[in-house]
Amino acid sequence: MADLEALLGDFADECADLERLVAPLPAAEWAGPTPAPGWTIAHQIGHLAWTDEVATLAATDADDFGRMVAEAAPRALTFVDEAAEQASTAAPAELLDRWHRGGKALTDALRAVPAGTKLPWFGPPMSAASMISARIMETWAHGQDVADTLGVTRTPTARLRTVAHLGVRTRNFAYSVHGKTPPDNEFRVELTAPDGAIWSWGPEDAEQRVTGPALDFCLLVTQRRHRDDLTVDAVGPDAETWLTLAQAFAGPTGAGRAAGQFA
């Protein structure tokens, strides 16, 4: 069973790492373009702030969350970008404060969720632990966009395990959003952690296998690097196909990065 308090601590640490990148920036640099088309650094932080707020709503008022989703339905392909655009117009200090407050509110809300409760979301309902795991993944992924924009190489941490876990658990979802039927068989995934340990999922004797550095796998499933630029290996045709579809995030399929695109 996932340790909610440990995950909440990892979320706080992931946010703090990203804050260390953006807080010292002059206002003009917040308007700098990132690898996400049309998104500046301000858009990236605004998106995280907005999503934390929406997650808090899902954890505290399922009815209001449902109404918000219904209202957004006619703009299903644009409402996330619209929210990021609106948030990006705030002054950097105001946007940082909004992000801080949203993260704290979400942490408090998830601590109060009764054990066993499933929270509504844009995809399947999820537990409090799954919700904060998704927030860790998104914070890390959008943090990668910011780091690439600034030319910063981040030190990988054990928090990547949560990102990798989501990447593995969303295998069938990745097939479905591409209109494909997922295979019936489980895969074996073995990843080398930053400290050299091996993180693994799936049966040891599975014929379909994926191996590589955890960092590379996480960059792949968040679509922050092209497969050609990563050392992630597949054994078996089904595993090979999965690596062309993988996405750990909800929503429509993304274009991802082009080969050789690091910023």
Side-chain angles (χ1 to χ4, degrees):
M1 182 176 293
D3 184 336
L4 179 60
E5 280 302 320
L7 289 168
L8 291 172
D10 284 351
F11 174 63
D13 289 343
E14 199 63 53
C15 291
D17 274 1
L18 177 52
E19 182 177 355
R20 280 190 283 270
L21 291 182
V22 298
L25 297 177
E29 288 197 43
W30 281 70
T34 68
W39 279 31
T40 64
I41 290 176
H43 283 79
Q44 299 280 356
I45 301 303
H47 170 70
L48 292 175
W50 174 81
T51 314
D52 288 347
E53 292 165 357
V54 172
T56 301
L57 182 63
T60 57
D61 195 326
D63 290 339
D64 270 1
F65 177 81
R67 282 189 284 271
M68 185 212 68
V69 172
E71 290 170 2
R75 309 181 338 270
L77 298 180
T78 63
F79 79 98
V80 171
D81 285 342
E82 290 167 5
E85 176 65 29
Q86 183 179 27
S88 73
T89 62
E94 295 175 6
L95 189 48
L96 271 178
D97 180 63
R98 177 181 174 184
W99 183 36
H100 284 154
R101 288 185 285 106
K104 184 181 185 306
L106 176 58
T107 295
D108 292 343
L110 293 180
R111 279 199 177 108
V113 172
T117 300
K118 293 291 187 179
L119 307 175
W121 197 238
F122 299 101
M126 61 177 72
S127 66
S130 293
M131 180 70 82
I132 201 62
S133 294
R135 301 309 311 130
I136 292 168
M137 179 274 296
E138 260 218 305
T139 304
W140 181 83
H142 288 283
Q144 187 64 46
D145 289 336
V146 173
D148 288 340
T149 300
L150 299 175
V152 173
T153 299
R154 300 188 296 175
T155 301
T157 73
R159 296 191 297 274
L160 287 178
R161 183 161 194 159
T162 295
V163 181
H165 182 70
L166 282 177
V168 173
R169 290 290 302 273
T170 53
R171 186 199 73 168
N172 290 358
F173 167 77
Y175 275 85
S176 67
V177 295
H178 283 85
K180 297 179 180 294
T181 301
D184 293 330
N185 54 316
E186 291 188 64
F187 298 169
R188 176 70 170 182
V189 178
E190 294 183 352
L191 305 175
T192 304
D195 66 357
I198 299 298
W199 297 337
S200 62
W201 296 261
E204 290 187 25
D205 61 350
E207 294 183 0
Q208 307 282 329
R209 308 176 72 86
V210 170
T211 60
L215 174 60
D216 285 22
F217 181 78
C218 291
L219 289 166
L220 178 72
V221 300
T222 58
Q223 298 186 0
R224 263 52 188 186
R225 290 289 186 274
H226 191 276
R227 169 88 186 280
D228 291 352
D229 298 317
L230 301 169
T231 308
V232 180
D233 299 316
V235 174
D238 292 337
E240 182 64 42
T241 297
W242 175 42
L243 295 186
T244 69
L245 309 174
Q247 68 174 69
F249 52 89
T253 60
R257 304 277 186 96
Q261 181 188 2
F262 304 107

